[in-house]
Amino acid sequence: WELLPFAGRVAKSKEILCDGNNEFVYAVDPSYMVFYSQTNPWGFNLEALRSYPAFEAIRELIYPNTMPTVDWNRADGKYPMALSYLGLGVDPVLHVASHDQKLASTELQAMFGTDCSDIIQNSAQIYRYVSALVTSAVFTELYGSGYEANCFSLLPLCKTKLSLVRSLCPATCGCSNGTSALALTGSCEGCPQACSKGDVYKASLSGLECVEKSGSELQHDATWQAWSSQ
């Protein structure tokens, strides 16, 4: 009975938050013009998307007690899947939301003091995230099962649209090798910018002759065939 007087307020709150069409996002420009877009214009399977580890990473931050223990270096074994800007305030986190793929892969490498190296094994957080990713419903539907959280296992995915693999495993994927079977070596495809500017990349091209191959030669060139399929 004590809660009965609040029932009307609860119902009103539900009406404000949930009634009507709420499947859109909007913004207001300086002239007070309103712009909007549907929240799911491409009709993605939302249940499948919720299996993506990003959702679990956020849930762990809200409910830290749900975080499993991982046998790594930290005494309590608690490693969130989310990466932290400890002691740097909110500005770096806000900045992440505006990253394009080029900047995202470069700054991810920078967090671990490198610029074109495999980093999955450098971080328990990333290891946990990738472990959850390769077993998620949305991942297995697109790429199949049997993958593990290491760059050698993920090698077949380097040539797919999954740019995260190239960001985490640039050395294994061939981002720093101009003659590798990887065509997607651009920073917009996930390879860190430094990979194509370093000495290793330059050395891989230095011994090549400046010769244009014929169509027949390209048809039998394994590297060209790999590039054409990406």
Side-chain angles (χ1 to χ4, degrees), residues 118 151-152 154-155 158 169-175:
D118 295 348
C151 290
F152 178 78
L154 298 175
L155 178 59
C158 291
C169 305
T172 294
C173 286
C175 292

Side-chain angles (χ1 to χ4, degrees), residues 34-35 40-41 43 46 49 53 64 85 99 104 109 114 117 119 127 130 140 146 175 177 187 201 226:
V34 178
F35 297 81
N40 187 17
L46 297 182
L49 285 177
Y85 283 111
H99 284 178
Q109 289 276 321
T114 185
S117 300
I119 58 175
Y127 177 81
V130 176
T140 54
C175 292
N177 183 356
S187 54
Y201 189 88

Side-chain angles (χ1 to χ4, degrees), residues 140-158:
T140 54
E141 182 179 335
L142 292 172
Y143 303 107
S145 59
Y147 293 99
E148 299 177 1
N150 64 75
C151 290
F152 178 78
S153 177
L154 298 175
L155 178 59
L157 300 177
C158 291

Side-chain angles (χ1 to χ4, degrees), residues 14-229:
K14 179 178 180 299
E15 177 184 341
I16 293 173
L17 294 173
C18 304
D19 281 5
N21 173 33
N22 53 22
E23 296 297 326
F24 66 92
V25 294
Y26 74 92
V28 182
D29 76 1
S31 299
Y32 297 98
M33 290 296 295
V34 178
F35 297 81
Y36 82 100
S37 176
Q38 296 176 342
T39 54
N40 187 17
W42 300 282
F44 289 134
N45 182 332
L46 297 182
E47 288 304 314
L49 285 177
R50 289 189 183 100
S51 74
Y52 208 76
F55 290 87
E56 179 63 20
I58 296 170
R59 192 177 76 86
E60 286 182 353
L61 295 177
I62 300 172
Y63 305 106
N65 291 336
T66 65
M67 196 182 307
T69 299
V70 180
D71 184 15
W72 207 271
N73 297 323
R74 188 177 294 178
D76 61 3
K78 298 292 187 180
Y79 294 88
M81 284 192 280
L83 299 175
S84 173
Y85 283 111
L86 288 176
L88 297 179
V90 300
D91 287 345
V93 178
L94 294 175
H95 183 56
V96 167
S98 64
H99 284 178
D100 57 14
Q101 183 60 62
K102 180 189 301 185
L103 189 55
S105 58
T106 297
E107 293 212 359
L108 185 60
Q109 289 276 321
M111 288 192 75
F112 298 96
T114 185
D115 55 13
C116 185
S117 300
D118 295 348
I119 58 175
I120 292 179
Q121 302 302 324
N122 293 1
S123 164
Q125 289 94 322
I126 291 181
Y127 177 81
R128 284 198 58 224
Y129 191 92
V130 176
S131 296
L133 172 64
V134 297
T135 56
S136 66
V138 65
F139 180 94
T140 54
E141 182 179 335
L142 292 172
Y143 303 107
S145 59
Y147 293 99
E148 299 177 1
N150 64 75
C151 290
F152 178 78
S153 177
L154 298 175
L155 178 59
L157 300 177
C158 291
K159 302 171 186 176
T160 68
K161 294 181 179 180
L162 193 59
S163 58
L164 178 63
V165 174
R166 294 183 287 278
S167 296
L168 298 177
C169 305
T172 294
C173 286
C175 292
S176 58
N177 183 356
T179 61
S180 74
L182 179 68
L184 305 172
T185 56
S187 54
C188 293
E189 282 88 31
C191 284
Q193 295 182 70
C195 294
S196 59
K197 297 179 180 179
D199 293 338
V200 174
Y201 189 88
K202 294 175 182 177
S204 70
L205 299 176
S206 62
L208 297 180
E209 296 181 0
C210 187
V211 177
E212 185 173 332
K213 293 185 177 182
S214 66
S216 176
E217 289 176 312
L218 291 176
Q219 288 179 351
H220 296 89
D221 186 295
T223 300
W224 180 262
Q225 291 301 316
W227 289 356
S228 65
S229 64

